[in-house]
Amino acid sequence: MTSSKTLLGDGEHIVKKLWELSAKIYYCYPQYVGNRKVGNKWWRKLLIVWLLFWIVVSFSVLWYMNSKAVEKRKETLTSMCDERARMLQDQFNVSMNHVQAMSILISTFHHARNPSAIDQCTFASYTERTAFERPLTSGVAYAVRVLHSERKEFEKRHGWSIKRMDTREPTPVHKDNEYDRDGLEPSPIQAEYAPVIFAQDTIAHVISVDMLSGKEDRENVLRARESGKGVLTAPFRLLKTNHLGVIKTFAVYKTDLPSNATPNERIQATDGYLGGVLDIESLVEKLLQQLASKQTILVNVYDMTNISHPISMYGSNVSSDGLEHVSALNFGDPFRRHEMRCR
Amino acid sequence: MTSSKTLLGDGEHIVKKLWELSAKIYYCYPQYVGNRKVGNKWWRKLLIVWLLFWIVVSFSVLWYMNSKAVEKRKETLTSMCDERARMLQDQFNVSMNHVQAMSILISTFHHARNPSAIDQCTFASYTERTAFERPLTSGVAYAVRVLHSERKEFEKRHGWSIKRMDTREPTPVHKDNEYDRDGLEPSPIQAEYAPVIFAQDTIAHVISVDMLSGKEDRENVLRARESGKGVLTAPFRLLKTNHLGVIKTFAVYKTDLPSNATPNERIQATDGYLGGVLDIESLVEKLLQQLASKQTILVNVYDMTNISHPISMYGSNVSSDGLEHVSALNFGDPFRRHEMRCR
C-alpha cells in the first residue's frame, strides 16, 4: 500500500483501512450487514462521504480556532502596547510639567523682581525639597541669556568668568557629565552667551558653563527659544547611572510675550533656558513594573527622528519575526519622533 | 403519554419517541434491522445508554462553558477596576504633589526670607500661570498661623481684620463657597487664628477668612499640622460646577523640623496651611474617557470613612445584584478610607 504524506493522502489511507474492516465484518458476520449487493455499494459510498465530510470539518475548526487565537493575541498586544505608550507619555509629561513650572518660578521670582528673590542657595534648596515631584529627573539647571555687551558686568557681579564646554571630547558634552569646571577655558568672544547660574546640587558642576558653546546644546537652546516649546536632545548615556536619558530644555521669556508671538519676537523676549535631565530607562522600567501582568510583552523605545537610523532609548535589540505592534509616542517636541515597539 | 417538565423527563420523552421510530423501521423494513430478537434488545439498550451519555455530556459542556464565561467576566472586571483605581490614585497624587510643591514654595520664598518674596499679587500670578499643572484643582489658598498676641500687629500690617466664617448656614462652609466677604463678622478672640493671606484669583474671596472658625475646616487644619500629611475633607458639592469635590490641606512647617518629629513638635513648628480644592467628579470622568474601551463598566467612588454611612463621590446609586468588584483607593490621608466599586 502506498502511504503518501499529504493530508488528503492520509485521509485516503484511513478510509482504506476502514474499508478493509467493513469488508471483514461483511464476510464474517453477514447477518449484521444485510444481504443485498445494492445496499452494500450504497453504504460504502455513504461511508466515504461521511469520513471526508468530517475530515474537512475538523480541519476547518482547527484553522478557525488558530486564526481566532492569532487575532486575539494581536488584539491583546495592541491594547497592551497602546496602554504602555500612553502611560509613558503621561508620566513623561508630568515630569516635564514640573520642569516647566520651574521655568515659571524663575520668571516670577527671578526676572520679574528687582532684586531677584532667587540665588543659587535658594534654587538648590527648592529643587532639593521638590525633588520628589521629579523622581526621574536627575537634575535641573538654569542658564541665563547674556549679551556680549553685558558680559563684563555679569562676570564681575558673579565673581567668575563664563566658561566654554570642554571640546577635547569627541562626543557632545552634556550637562550631566562630570568634569573639572576649574580646568575649563573661558568662553571665546561671541555675540551672546548662556552661562548656567542656578543648578540643582546634583549637577552643581555645570554652573558658569556656557550652554551655547556645546554643539548639540546650542542647537537645543536655539530651537527651544524659537519654538516656545520644550525640546529634547537625542538619547545619550547618563554618567552616574549609565542609563539612557535625554535633556529637555524650556526657554524662559519676559512676562509680556503674547502667546501668538513670531519666532523673532520670541528670540528677542528670551531671558534664559531651563534644562532638566531625564532618565528614560528608569521611567520605562518603573512603568512596566507597575503594569506587570500575567501576559508579559517585550517593550522597546526608539528615537525615530532619523528614520534610517533609529536610536534605542529602552530595551534590548533582539530582532524577531513574530507579531509586533508599534505605538507612537508624543514627548511634546514636534522636531523629534519617538515610538514604542512591543512584541 | 405523560410529559414531565424535568430535564430527565424530557430526555425520557425523546428516548421514547426514538423508540417508536426504531420500532417502525423494525416492522416496515425488517431486512435492514436484522432477524434476531437478541440483537434487537441489545441495540435498544445501546441506544438508551448512548442517548443518556450524550445528554449528560451536553449539559456538562454547557455548565462548563457558562462557569468559564462567568470566571472570565469576573477576571476582566477585576483587572479593569484595579487599573482604574490605580490610575485615579496616580492622577490624584500628581495633583496633590503640585499642591505640596506649592507649600514648599511658600516655605522657601515666604517664611525663610525676610522680607518675604511673595505677596498676593505674586501668588495669584504664579498660581494662574502654573494652573495647567493642576487641571482638576479649582483653586489653592494659603492661610498663615497667627497667635492672639500677634493679631493686632498682623491686622495693622495687612490693613484688614481677621474674619470668621459665616455660621448662619447649617452645612459647613467651605473655601469654595462664594459669599460676601465684607458682610462677615470679625473673628472672636481665640488662642490662635488661620487667616487666608494668599489665594488663587478663582477663590480670592476667602482672603482674610479664619480657617479655624469653620468646624470641618478647623478639624482638617489641626489634623494636617499634627500628622504632617495631606488631609482630606469629606466630599461636598463645589458651588461653581456643582460637582463633588474635596479639599486637601497641607501644613507648612519651619524648615528646621526633623522628619521624625513628634506631633507636639510639629504643632509648634507650624507656619501655616495650604489648601487645594479638587474636583473629584471631573477627575474620574476624564479618567474613564481616557480608558474607554469596548467593554464598559459602571464605576462608583465612595468615601468609606464611616462604614455604615458611605458618601458617594462619583457615580449613580443604582443598585444591582450582578458581579461587583471593590478596589481600595489610597489618597494619602490615613484617616479617610476610599474605595472604587465596579460593575
Side-chain angles (χ1 to χ4, degrees), chain B residues 7 19 21 42 65 103 116 118 145 156 175 195 206 243 249-250 266 274-275 280 301 307 330 340:
Chain B
L7 289 175
W19 203 256
L21 191 73
W42 190 79
M65 301 278 271
S103 76
S116 156
I118 302 184
R145 185 190 198 189
K156 205 172 131 198
K175 295 193 193 78
V206 295
H243 286 170
T249 311
F250 287 97
R266 287 191 180 277
L274 192 82
I280 293 283
V301 179
I307 293 175
N330 178 9
M340 182 181 274

Side-chain angles (χ1 to χ4, degrees), chain A residues 31-32 34-36 39 43 72 75 83 86-87 90-91 94 97-105 107-109 113 116-119 122-123 125-126 129-130 132-133 253 255 290-291 294, chain B residues 31-32 34-36 39 43 72 75 83 86-87 90-91 94 97-105 107-109 113 116-119 122-123 125-126 129-130 132-133 253 255 290-291 294:
Chain A
Q31 69 274 26
Y32 288 118
N35 48 12
R36 293 203 306 184
W43 275 106
K72 176 96 189 133
E75 217 170 67
E83 187 189 7
R86 197 182 49 227
M87 285 190 71
D90 281 356
Q91 293 196 2
V94 163
N97 277 350
H98 286 128
V99 177
Q100 199 177 350
M102 291 228 42
S103 76
I104 294 167
L105 181 93
S107 158
T108 312
F109 290 98
R113 294 178 75 91
S116 155
I118 302 184
D119 52 20
T122 316
F123 188 87
S125 130
Y126 180 75
R129 291 176 71 191
T130 53
F132 71 92
E133 285 206 84
Y253 299 104
T255 45
Q290 256 183 28
L291 287 179
K294 277 183 290 183
Chain B
Q31 68 275 28
Y32 289 117
N35 48 10
R36 293 201 307 183
W43 274 106
K72 177 93 189 136
E75 218 170 65
E83 187 190 5
R86 197 181 50 229
M87 285 191 71
D90 282 355
Q91 293 196 2
V94 163
N97 278 350
H98 286 128
V99 178
Q100 199 176 351
M102 291 227 44
S103 76
I104 295 166
L105 180 94
S107 157
T108 311
F109 290 98
R113 295 180 75 92
S116 156
I118 302 184
D119 52 21
T122 316
F123 188 87
S125 130
Y126 180 75
R129 290 177 70 190
T130 54
F132 71 92
E133 286 206 84
Y253 299 104
T255 45
Q290 255 183 29
L291 287 178
K294 276 183 289 182

